Amino acid sequence: MSSRMPPLDECPAWKNLIAHHREVGNLHLRQLFADDAGRGERFSAEAAGIHLDFSKNRITGETLRLLVRLAEECGLRERATAMFEGKAINLTERRAVLHIALRAPRDRRVACDGIDVVPHVHAVLDRMAGFADRIRNGEWKGYTGRRIRNIVNIGIGGSDLGPVMACEALRHYSQRDLCMRFVSNVDGTDFSEATRDLDAGETLFIVCSKTFSTLETLTNASTARAWVTGRLGDDRAVARHFVAVSTNAAAVAAFGIDTANMFGFWDWVGGRYSMTSAVGLSTMISIGPENFGAMLAGFHAMDEHFLGAPFERNLPVLLGLLAVWNVNFFDARTLAVVPYEQYLKRLPAYLQQLAMESNGKQVTLEGARVAWDTSPVYWGEPGTNGQHSFFQLMHQGTRAVPCDFIGFCQPLNPAGNHHDLLMANLFAQAEALAFGRSAAEVRAEGTPEWLVPHRCFEGNRTSNVLLAERLTPHALGALVALYEHSVFTQGVIWNIDSFDQWGVELGKVLAQRTATEFDSARDPDLRHDSSTNALIRRYRRLRQQGD
Ligand code: G6Q
């Protein structure tokens, strides 16, 4: 058990921040920028090809100094080192947390329980690369001798969101004659729509499940097996059309997949931190081993930066501390992530799991109820689309919504002046949120008096801008690692276990139990509350009528 003394709200830096917030909390960004001509440069930092401009946060130099002190008092340096050294920092599951080892170069040593895990990591990466190449060059044939053209990843949560996001983000680098599909939902529609136009003889399923016991994934995998064997007319087809990604070889074999076609990983890789493990097999098939390696290098560059850079210039630390400042001192309940890059359209969904499953916790590492708020709700949509929907609330709503804008200087698909317009929108939105539009400015435009209040923007709304040269595999890796370590930083400050997910476990158990009750005709089986019992009865009745 770790014990951190004193609790967060008794840390000297926390108390100083409370007093400091009373002094600076009402300052307007207009004022802060007017007082310091160099603010834009002063409050920015760069690492692994990513530039972070955090000057549009409601902070002063003193805020930053106190936040850094808070990180020190909370033992962030020691906790990060413990993670990188393979200590069991996931206390409730008594596990090491070593996703950083998944992207360590071959010549690095990362020990877990005294064993260097890097050779194991690279052995799997090499096998993945060999397999990916065989799919990509057509050497791996389906059961009927046809080349594989469709890859369907079956997985959910951490075994789905990373690959979905990465395949979409790096589609520009993909082998275009391979069709990538993802099935996660136990809703039969997901499987049905993903496969309806596919030829089984040309389709490979990757069953991706760390535990190989997840209801949704095993249900979809069984349906896929029946789909393949039904269409190809032979159970032996499974060997050519199914591979597995898992830590559970026995369950993979029991399902009928030869463990020679299984790509393993380890219990020190959390689901939502697994996209650089074998869980990334679909990504590697899509973009090729070389691009996958470049993505890993991007992750690694940010890992190194996080571990070594001083806190005041450390991107993940800054992003994490600013989230704490906005949540705990400005009562921000949500945080919007708005990529001005169409290929990053699934990034907000990925970050939702990363942040909210990690830091959606209400007890400390010692099991005491926290006396401070923890994770905000992460959400978002690509810009500029968001500007034509929810940005209204961000500009003029009653709740402040801090926002991360993400943009790239070079387009992957140049087309006329599209990219300049895209980026002009990004910069303009961050500017408008920060500085607003005063009544005097609105009046000066000749606005009738009755309309003035409606056309005013108070401004002073926080945002970060993340800017990189171009969306490359390296840049994506650096960006995702930045958020991973930012989430870690927040969890350390809040003194919670960012690596367990007991809330997810509960759902898995409850659904299994309830599913067994639908086919029972006997009412006494319904041992829930009156609402759930009534819903189950109604469902039983109506589903029979529909048969
Ligand atoms: C992630 C969670 C969760 C998990 C899924 C799938 O951190 O643990 O989202 O990834 O429940 O689990 P399996 O990979 O074991 O099927």
Side-chain angles (χ1 to χ4, degrees):
M1 254 316 169
S2 123
S3 63
R4 185 179 73 170
M5 295 298 288
L8 177 59
D9 49 1
E10 288 172 28
C11 283
W14 185 264
K15 291 183 175 168
N16 289 339
L17 278 163
I18 293 173
H20 172 70
H21 178 258
R22 273 188 225 113
E23 281 168 32
V24 303
N26 286 325
L27 292 180
H28 199 289
L29 283 167
R30 266 189 231 128
Q31 190 64 47
L32 292 169
F33 272 85
D35 290 348
D36 176 4
R39 182 179 170 93
E41 277 86 43
R42 201 152 68 84
F43 290 132
S44 64
E46 190 154 342
I50 297 184
H51 174 85
L52 165 66
D53 176 345
F54 58 98
S55 62
K56 297 190 189 79
N57 280 270
R58 295 165 67 178
I59 57 169
T60 64
E62 177 65 2
T63 319
L64 199 56
R65 202 182 62 77
L66 288 173
L67 286 170
V68 165
R69 273 266 298 285
L70 180 68
E72 285 159 358
E73 287 176 16
C74 291
L76 178 60
R77 180 73 67 205
E78 295 74 16
R79 290 285 299 285
T81 305
M83 172 165 72
F84 279 64
E85 287 178 349
K87 303 266 162 53
I89 63 164
N90 175 356
L91 287 186
T92 70
E93 295 180 325
R94 297 177 192 277
R95 281 183 187 158
V97 176
L98 272 180
H99 43 278
I100 55 101
L102 299 170
R103 47 269 189 149
R106 274 179 209 277
D107 57 0
R108 278 301 167 89
R109 186 186 147 79
V110 179
C112 183
D113 291 331
I115 295 164
D116 182 9
V117 298
V118 177
H120 300 278
V121 165
H122 280 273
V124 174
L125 283 172
D126 291 345
R127 281 189 60 230
M128 287 165 64
F131 180 72
D133 280 339
R134 290 175 73 198
I135 296 288
R136 289 164 63 83
N137 64 24
E139 206 182 290
W140 177 285
K141 298 280 193 291
Y143 185 64
T144 55
R146 309 252 294 280
R147 174 179 186 149
I148 298 296
R149 300 199 180 277
N150 316 303
I151 315 292
V152 183
N153 187 84
I154 297 180
I156 195 165
S159 297
D160 170 70
L161 288 160
V164 170
M165 182 276 289
C167 281
E168 188 56 40
L170 300 177
R171 187 193 279 258
H172 184 75
Y173 305 87
S174 66
Q175 184 166 312
R176 298 286 181 164
D177 62 359
L178 288 174
C179 164
M180 310 303 297
R181 298 267 168 93
F182 296 86
V183 174
S184 55
N185 199 334
V186 77
D187 182 339
T189 297
D190 205 8
F191 181 85
S192 175
E193 287 294 341
T195 52
R196 61 183 300 127
D197 58 344
L198 302 187
D199 181 331
E202 300 181 340
T203 302
L204 176 82
F205 289 92
I206 302 175
V207 185
C208 194
S209 174
K210 180 176 171 181
T211 56
F212 226 79
S213 64
T214 305
L215 173 91
E216 291 88 341
T217 300
L218 290 192
T219 306
N220 279 318
S222 298
T223 301
R225 187 175 50 195
W227 184 83
V228 166
T229 56
R231 278 170 172 71
L232 301 184
D234 196 332
D235 285 354
R236 285 175 298 176
V238 170
R240 304 303 297 170
H241 294 271
F242 282 82
V243 297
V245 171
S246 188
T247 58
N248 186 348
V252 168
F255 179 83
I257 297 176
D258 186 345
T259 48
N261 295 330
M262 167 181 152
F263 299 87
F265 57 116
W266 306 271
D267 71 356
W268 42 261
V269 182
R272 56 194 173 277
Y273 296 89
S274 67
M275 63 173 275
T276 49
S277 72
V279 168
L281 182 62
S282 52
T283 314
M284 192 192 269
I285 293 173
S286 175
I287 62 172
E290 201 173 316
N291 281 319
F292 195 83
M295 183 183 80
L296 296 185
F299 270 94
H300 179 66
M302 190 58 78
D303 292 343
E304 295 275 280
H305 167 76
F306 173 59
L307 190 65
F311 286 169
E312 54 276 12
R313 293 204 307 276
N314 192 312
L315 265 63
V317 172
L318 288 166
L319 211 57
L321 290 175
L322 291 166
V324 168
W325 174 242
N326 288 319
V327 167
N328 298 115
F329 295 88
F330 287 98
D331 196 26
R333 310 268 170 108
T334 82
L335 197 157
V337 180
V338 184
Y340 279 66
E341 170 53 71
Q342 186 65 17
Y343 284 127
L344 292 185
K345 67 179 182 201
R346 294 303 305 266
L347 183 70
Y350 174 80
L351 294 180
Q352 261 175 358
Q353 184 194 23
L354 180 68
M356 291 158 69
E357 203 167 276
S358 297
N359 289 339
K361 309 287 162 67
Q362 56 180 220
V363 295
T364 64
L365 285 169
E366 294 79 27
R369 173 86 195 196
V370 291
W372 44 88
D373 279 324
T374 59
S375 184
V377 171
Y378 276 67
W379 60 287
E381 276 289 319
T384 57
N385 299 9
Q387 286 171 223
H388 296 266
S389 62
F390 56 79
F391 268 57
Q392 167 61 37
L393 182 149
M394 288 168 55
H395 283 292
Q396 290 187 309
T398 51
R399 280 211 164 274
V401 179
C403 176
D404 289 353
F405 291 102
I406 301 172
F408 298 87
C409 298
Q410 299 167 10
L412 291 174
N413 296 295
N417 65 344
H418 283 233
H419 197 68
D420 286 346
L421 292 176
L422 177 73
M423 295 305 286
N425 271 286
L426 186 165
F427 299 142
Q429 288 299 322
E431 190 175 11
L433 286 168
F435 303 108
R437 218 146 151 256
S438 68
E441 286 167 321
V442 172
R443 279 192 192 103
E445 289 167 356
T447 307
E449 200 53 34
W450 66 270
L451 201 51
V452 169
H454 299 276
R455 296 195 60 202
C456 283
F457 295 71
E458 65 190 20
N460 215 15
R461 310 223 160 179
T462 292
S463 69
N464 292 306
V465 176
L466 292 161
L467 206 56
E469 202 170 281
R470 191 177 169 85
L471 177 54
T472 59
H474 188 282
L476 180 72
L479 186 65
V480 174
L482 165 56
Y483 275 99
E484 284 179 349
H485 299 312
S486 156
V487 164
F488 176 75
T489 298
Q490 294 168 52
V492 169
I493 303 295
W494 291 322
N495 194 28
I496 54 183
D497 191 330
S498 299
F499 300 104
D500 61 12
Q501 56 282 314
W502 297 104
V504 178
E505 313 302 333
L506 174 68
K508 290 186 178 182
V509 174
L510 290 184
Q512 295 269 21
R513 196 180 77 186
T514 304
T516 62
E517 291 168 345
F518 294 153
D519 285 324
S520 162
R522 287 177 298 124
D523 231 22
D525 284 353
L526 300 180
R527 51 205 146 109
H528 307 272
D529 57 276
S530 59
S531 159
T532 311
N533 284 341
L535 290 167
I536 292 174
R537 268 189 219 108
R538 175 173 289 264
Y539 175 68
R540 276 177 171 178
R541 206 170 61 239
L542 292 179
R543 83 172 174 146
Q544 273 159 14
Q545 282 171 5
D547 281 345

